[in-house]
Amino acid sequence: MGSLGERIAEYGGWRRSLADAVLRYAHWLDDEGLSDASLLSRVERIVERLGKERVSIAFVAEFSRGKSELINAIFFSRFGRRIVPSGAGRTTMCPTELLYEAERPSAIRLLPIETRLLDAPVSELRDDDSRWEMRSIDPQVPDSLRRAFESVQETLWVDAAQAALLGFYDEGDPASPVRPDEQGRIEVPRWRHAIVNWPHPLLEQGLVVLDTPGLNAIGSEPELTLKLIPGCDAVLFVLAADAGVTMSDLVVWRDHISTKHGSGRYVVLNKIDSLWDGLKDEVQIQLEIARQVGSVSQHLQVPNDRVYPVSAQKALLARVNGDASLLKRSRISDLEYALGRELVPQQRDIVREHVEREFTELHSLVAGSLAARRRNLVEQQFELNGLRGKNRGVMDHMAARIRGEREEFEKSLRHLQALRSVFSRHAQSIHETISAHSLKRHVRIARETMRRSNFSIGLREGMSSLLAAVRADLDETTRLVGEVSTLMNAMYRSFSAEHGLALGNPAMFSTQRYYAELDRIERVQRRQFGAITLATTSQWALMRRFFESVAARLREVYEIADRELESWLRAVMAPIESQVREYQAQLKRRLETVRRVLDANESLEARLAEIERERSLVEQRIGLASEYARRVTALLAENAETLARA
Ligand SMILES: Nc1nc2c(ncn2[C@@H]2O[C@H](COP(=O)(O)OP(=O)(O)OP(=O)(O)O)[C@@H](O)[C@H]2O)c(=O)[nH]1
Ligand SMILES: [Mg+2]
């Protein structure tokens, strides 16, 4: 499997050790009684993220370019045969996901094509087992995997009207690639989506592979464009050397891949073996490949070195037969190496950044309150040392001073109380603005607009009204976030200045990423529906399906935003709450000490000795906390070193 497999496995191992290190830290906190609900939920979030992390690769192209063969060559050659069906003409009829979920049985799950009429995107039906047909696979028998895969080729014959509703036939399009037969029927895929759950070692490590059908099947399932393909960490766009770059290849590229931002786009020029015609010599062949690569890079406007010439079929054959020289000639390793070198570190970086941020916040809360405790003990020691040999008057004076400090602090606490109620009102407004409930209302209104008219204007108006309402929600959320930030800034500053709490600056929050997602959805909509008038049943059906996919995607965006905002609100409030608690307890203890010494219930020396014990305990804990934290940060840094070496 070369470096791609090794790197994915290594990445899986790294995530597990990181999760272990974070859990060890959390257990220690718990043992020491230093943990609380908010710290615990932070730990859970980190561990969950590390466990759920996936590396996903989508294969997208016109039909017959060799997507499925490439998947066989890269992932399944060890079975010694072709596992994913690959053949002339259209082979893969529905998007197929390959993954492993331990909690589900090994099987292929198939979603019938008729579910498209439900207007519910696949993501919403995903967990509804009653909708799917399940064909089990025996992990011990590769042949059962191959047989299961054959399902993705199955088709059905339906009448033209049904085919139009399902999105496979456009009666108004004279250039339609399909025509009804004599009985007025059209052949359509039997399945809408397939999910293969299989304990392949790489899938077990978190790899997800998405194979898609060609022939603009992507366009009729808007969810692929809106979510599945852009959601993948890498997209492989496949061309065939014997076909060159055709118009329809360009359409797939333009509509589904060129807009994918960031890295993670790979152009594969497959079937280079069609240039080895036995008459040209090796130099001529290499020149011809280089020429084609140049032409592809020009057509797609990608750098030359982003185009990988390979032969998927020869790579599979070479691996099955253990033919090293054919494998070298297939050039598959260059592609796999590039995937391993870029994709895995890129994923690791994203995860590292997330864990680092969450963990730093967690540890600084713990370290912050331990440091505050220590500082207070030192101050007490200082204060009590000053009382040595002093008379009653001085002690009375000191008690009065502490009481004074406490009164001051209580004033601030009333302030804090007022802040808390403004804060929770704001938190509530933020939650209401970005709640599933609010989105549901927008969707309902937009749906009504669309239902009122079956003309393109109404459909488009419905769509725009939904997007405008979402934008307004985001604007309102941004405004509220701004207010909370101002409020917290002032509060942090005043507690630091007046009572010497070590609070630093409150965490910031940006809503930018939600706007970016909305912008992207708008771009896809404009591209697909901007200019055309929607005149035919199939176009209306497609637009409605598009609308439902957008609604589903937005539901996810709202859910994520709601969750992220909630955790930000908690994070911004937590340090102030924990330090205030700490400070309050210390004031009380100081006052008690002076009082007891005054009442001669306790000797000053005994109290000082006790404080010294407390202090060394706290110092020991500070040391241990940073030791546990160091183990986590060492693992996080290990990543950077590996990167530097690569
Ligand atoms: N000569 C040659 N043929 C190839 C190569 N890769 C794939 N093919 C052939 O091209 C045909 C199409 O391959 P598939 O893997 O089914 O292509 P696909 O892109 O998955 O096509 P759809 O599933 O129909 O969208 C099959 O007959 C393959 O054997 C290659 O590297 N060289
Ligand atoms: Mg295929």
Side-chain angles (χ1 to χ4, degrees):
M1 198 82 47
S3 60
L4 175 60
E6 281 160 26
R7 282 188 187 246
I8 289 179
E10 193 188 34
Y11 175 52
W14 175 74
R15 289 197 327 265
R16 268 192 307 279
S17 346
L18 195 51
D20 275 355
V22 173
L23 278 173
R24 269 201 297 275
Y25 181 64
H27 288 151
W28 174 76
L29 283 182
D30 216 30
D31 290 345
E32 297 285 324
L34 294 170
S35 188
D36 65 28
S38 101
L39 291 181
L40 266 183
S41 84
R42 223 176 259 270
V43 169
E44 271 165 23
R45 272 207 306 279
I46 297 175
V47 172
E48 190 184 292
R49 168 80 192 244
L50 285 169
K52 272 200 188 151
E53 196 54 38
R54 299 263 184 270
V55 177
S56 49
I57 307 181
F59 290 74
V60 183
E62 246 306 16
F63 75 111
S64 245
R65 298 299 185 254
K67 298 178 287 290
S68 302
E69 192 76 326
L70 203 50
I71 293 174
N72 280 317
I74 300 179
F75 302 109
F76 292 114
S77 59
R78 70 183 179 103
F79 291 117
R81 74 193 79 186
R82 195 170 268 136
I83 297 285
V84 186
S86 151
R90 300 184 55 186
T91 311
T92 312
M93 300 300 282
C94 66
T96 308
E97 278 176 69
L98 282 76
L99 44 77
Y100 184 61
E101 292 171 335
E103 61 283 4
R104 284 187 174 277
S106 290
I108 182 166
R109 295 202 301 146
L110 299 152
L111 185 65
I113 195 71
E114 301 80 43
T115 58
R116 275 199 183 173
L117 301 176
L118 297 173
D119 281 344
V122 176
S123 61
E124 268 168 30
L125 304 173
R126 224 182 155 89
D127 294 323
D128 181 356
D129 284 341
S130 70
R131 299 273 182 200
W132 298 73
E133 185 171 318
M134 199 163 95
R135 298 179 183 171
S136 60
I137 303 173
D138 180 350
Q140 305 310 320
V141 186
D143 235 22
S144 80
L145 180 63
R146 192 185 47 75
R147 269 198 306 280
F149 260 113
E150 280 168 3
S151 327
V152 305
Q153 289 174 268
E154 292 169 1
T155 58
L156 287 176
W157 287 88
V158 298
D159 63 39
Q162 177 82 348
L165 282 175
L166 290 172
F168 293 104
Y169 174 56
D170 187 347
E171 65 277 28
D173 177 9
S176 168
V178 284
R179 286 280 148 214
D181 67 358
E182 307 86 72
Q183 290 144 51
R185 299 176 318 162
I186 284 172
E187 189 180 18
V188 302
R190 178 163 175 205
W191 310 109
R192 181 182 185 188
H193 199 92
I195 302 174
V196 179
N197 191 32
W198 169 258
H200 178 286
L202 284 182
L203 304 179
E204 280 177 326
Q205 298 285 352
L207 177 75
V208 176
V209 177
L210 174 65
D211 190 9
T212 62
L215 200 68
N216 201 31
I218 312 172
S220 58
E221 198 66 274
E223 197 176 9
L224 278 172
T225 331
L226 280 169
K227 182 181 159 201
L228 279 174
I229 296 172
C232 279
D233 306 312
V235 179
L236 268 63
F237 176 64
V238 188
L239 292 162
D242 56 357
V245 185
T246 68
M247 258 327 275
S248 59
D249 285 320
L250 281 175
V251 170
V252 174
W253 169 259
R254 189 195 62 209
D255 288 353
H256 306 292
I257 303 166
S258 66
T259 53
K260 180 177 164 55
H261 38 78
S263 49
R265 279 188 327 196
Y266 299 79
V267 179
V268 180
L269 179 65
N270 189 27
K271 309 198 188 182
I272 54 167
D273 57 297
S274 64
L275 305 171
W276 315 339
D277 62 2
L279 294 174
K280 295 193 204 94
D281 64 32
E282 196 52 36
V283 175
Q284 280 174 311
I285 293 170
Q286 292 313 321
L287 279 174
E288 176 58 19
I289 293 175
R291 198 191 56 74
Q292 286 219 18
V293 166
S295 139
V296 167
S297 94
Q298 209 167 23
H299 269 100
L300 306 182
Q301 292 178 322
V302 294
N304 250 318
D305 59 6
R306 300 303 294 172
V307 182
Y308 296 89
V310 306
S311 168
Q313 195 198 48
K314 295 294 180 273
L316 177 62
L317 188 69
R319 284 194 167 141
V320 168
N321 296 335
D323 181 341
S325 91
L326 186 61
L327 186 65
K328 186 152 183 283
R329 230 178 157 201
S330 77
R331 295 175 68 167
I332 195 87
S333 311
D334 292 349
L335 173 64
E336 290 172 341
Y337 187 72
L339 278 169
R341 192 187 49 215
E342 295 167 22
L343 178 62
V344 178
Q346 167 199 316
Q347 281 317 103
R348 243 165 109 138
D349 263 359
I350 297 171
V351 172
R352 181 171 56 89
E353 199 186 300
H354 173 89
V355 172
E356 200 160 39
R357 192 172 38 199
E358 287 272 350
F359 184 76
T360 308
E361 272 176 30
L362 171 91
H363 179 59
S364 65
L365 274 177
V366 172
S369 76
L370 285 174
R373 199 169 294 178
R374 180 179 172 280
R375 201 181 50 238
N376 285 324
L377 289 168
V378 171
E379 277 169 16
Q380 271 192 72
Q381 275 180 318
F382 185 74
E383 201 169 58
L384 291 182
N385 269 323
L387 286 183
R388 276 204 170 111
K390 290 285 168 10
N391 60 23
R392 203 174 165 95
V394 177
M395 291 205 193
D396 277 337
H397 181 70
M398 168 157 302
R401 205 183 66 206
I402 298 173
R403 268 194 298 274
E405 270 178 56
R406 194 158 79 167
E407 271 156 33
E408 278 300 301
F409 193 63
E410 256 145 29
K411 247 185 264 162
S412 297
L413 283 184
R414 278 193 293 281
H415 219 97
L416 181 64
Q417 198 50 44
L419 167 92
R420 271 202 204 100
S421 73
V422 178
F423 182 87
S424 60
R425 263 203 312 281
H426 273 68
Q428 184 60 24
S429 311
I430 289 177
H431 172 68
E432 274 161 19
T433 311
I434 210 76
S435 69
H437 185 73
S438 139
L439 180 66
K440 212 179 250 170
R441 197 176 51 239
H442 306 324
V443 171
R444 197 180 55 237
I445 294 170
R447 248 195 225 121
E448 277 160 15
T449 312
M450 292 175 70
R451 207 169 288 143
R452 265 203 303 281
S453 111
N454 233 351
F455 298 106
S456 47
I457 307 260
L459 289 181
R460 228 179 306 236
E461 261 174 18
M463 193 72 223
S464 331
S465 87
L466 174 62
L467 296 179
V470 168
R471 197 168 283 278
D473 280 353
L474 285 184
D475 289 345
E476 176 63 5
T477 305
T478 309
R479 192 185 65 78
L480 289 164
V481 165
E483 281 191 13
V484 170
S485 303
T486 313
L487 202 70
M488 292 313 294
N489 250 317
M491 213 60 197
Y492 271 51
R493 259 207 310 276
S494 92
F495 269 93
S496 308
E498 287 161 28
H499 307 287
L501 301 193
L503 283 165
N505 290 317
M508 287 294 166
F509 191 90
S510 162
T511 51
Q512 185 46 42
R513 55 189 174 281
Y514 314 131
Y515 281 108
E517 182 60 13
L518 184 61
D519 291 344
R520 196 180 63 81
I521 292 173
E522 272 178 344
R523 272 202 305 280
V524 175
Q525 187 220 355
R526 264 202 307 280
R527 204 171 51 233
Q528 293 207 343
F529 301 99
I532 57 162
T533 37
L534 305 165
T536 61
T537 333
S538 60
Q539 284 167 339
W540 286 333
L542 178 57
M543 179 73 176
R544 270 200 306 275
R545 217 159 30 240
F546 182 78
F547 176 84
E548 294 305 329
S549 301
V550 168
R553 179 68 196 130
L554 289 173
R555 266 193 290 282
E556 288 171 356
V557 173
Y558 271 55
E559 227 170 76
I560 293 168
D562 194 19
R563 207 174 40 235
E564 291 180 340
L565 280 157
E566 205 186 294
S567 82
W568 171 66
L569 288 166
R570 245 197 328 254
V572 88
M573 203 56 170
I576 233 177
E577 297 280 14
S578 80
Q579 295 224 10
V580 159
R581 259 200 314 272
E582 189 60 44
Y583 191 67
Q584 235 172 343
Q586 290 299 338
L587 277 172
K588 193 166 150 233
R589 236 171 300 169
R590 277 168 65 198
L591 204 53
E592 248 170 41
T593 304
V594 177
R595 214 178 271 145
R596 274 200 246 154
V597 174
L598 267 176
D599 296 348
N601 284 339
E602 192 174 38
S603 82
L604 190 58
E605 297 311 319
R607 182 62 190 143
L608 271 168
E610 195 187 321
I611 292 176
E612 183 53 38
R613 267 197 308 279
E614 279 179 43
R615 189 177 114 174
S616 80
L617 185 67
V618 169
E619 273 164 3
Q620 202 185 335
R621 281 176 170 175
I622 290 175
L624 277 170
S626 58
E627 183 49 40
Y628 277 103
R630 233 194 322 274
R631 289 187 203 162
V632 175
T633 42
L635 277 165
L636 287 166
E638 187 182 280
N639 180 31
E641 274 164 35
T642 327
L643 274 181
R645 258 188 281 124

